[in-house]
Amino acid sequence: MKRKLLAMLAAALPLALASMLMAMWPASAASLTRVTGFGNNPTNLNMYIYVPNNVAARPALLVLVHYCSGSASGIFNGNGHDFVTAADRYGYIIVLPEATRSGSCFDVSTPAALKRNGGSDSTGIMSMVAYARQRYNIDPGRIAVSGFSSGAMMTNVLAAQYPDVFTAASA
């Protein structure tokens, strides 16, 4: 009888430990998520958002804009990854616009692009900002934009056209 009990315990102990360890792991990690139907989007940009598991009560918002031939996931997993790590630590949200035209560059030079609400990429990106502000109770005093290469040029366009929205810009 004693031997049977020890054998049963020996078989059950690893299962019990595994169950306890699995319960300590987060159910799902935060990930980059595509958003559709976010508002006026005249140039058909894709919108992606990163919402960390622990969001601040009034989170900041970072618009992170990719480079030519890039993508939202490319910058998310590449040279923008430090922003993701910081979002996890400080609880802010990241919106990642994605250009869909040939070459995956943002329109930063046409008359429509250089006019507030002009109907180009910047208009779609501002719809993304409005979506995030409404959905996640974003602190309007902490909205920033940053980008690399073509994304840096879009950062300049957004900061110039919408100085009442962006409190910081890093190109």
Side-chain angles (χ1 to χ4, degrees):
M1 181 70 166
K2 204 176 199 183
R3 212 173 248 174
K4 266 188 173 176
L5 184 59
L6 283 174
M8 285 178 21
L9 282 174
L13 190 59
L15 290 174
L17 285 173
S19 295
M20 286 174 33
L21 288 173
M22 296 279 280
M24 292 189 316
W25 248 261
S28 65
S31 62
L32 191 59
T33 305
R34 181 153 184 219
V35 176
T36 58
F38 53 85
N40 187 15
N41 185 20
T43 55
N44 256 351
L45 298 175
N46 291 328
M47 176 185 177
Y48 290 86
I49 195 164
Y50 180 72
V51 180
N53 287 331
N54 296 311
V55 176
R58 290 275 294 173
L61 175 66
L62 171 64
V63 177
L64 185 57
V65 193
H66 70 75
Y67 41 87
C68 279
S69 76
S71 65
S73 65
I75 197 168
F76 181 82
N77 293 307
N79 53 354
H81 192 69
D82 286 344
F83 289 121
V84 177
T85 302
D88 288 335
R89 182 173 182 182
Y90 298 110
Y92 65 83
I93 293 171
I94 305 174
V95 164
L96 299 100
E98 184 177 76
T100 56
R101 70 180 47 82
S102 176
S104 299
C105 294
F106 289 95
D107 177 13
V108 294
S109 61
T110 67
L114 298 175
K115 181 179 178 195
R116 185 179 176 112
N117 301 318
S120 191
D121 290 352
S122 58
T123 302
I125 293 171
M126 290 311 298
S127 294
M128 296 175 197
V129 170
Y131 171 90
R133 285 179 74 173
Q134 179 185 24
R135 175 117 190 220
Y136 297 101
N137 195 31
I138 299 296
D139 180 346
R142 298 190 309 144
I143 300 175
V145 58
S146 185
F148 299 86
S149 189
S150 173
M153 291 186 284
M154 179 54 75
T155 295
N156 291 331
V157 168
L158 291 167
Q161 288 178 4
Y162 302 94
D164 53 317
V165 175
F166 295 100
T167 55
S170 174

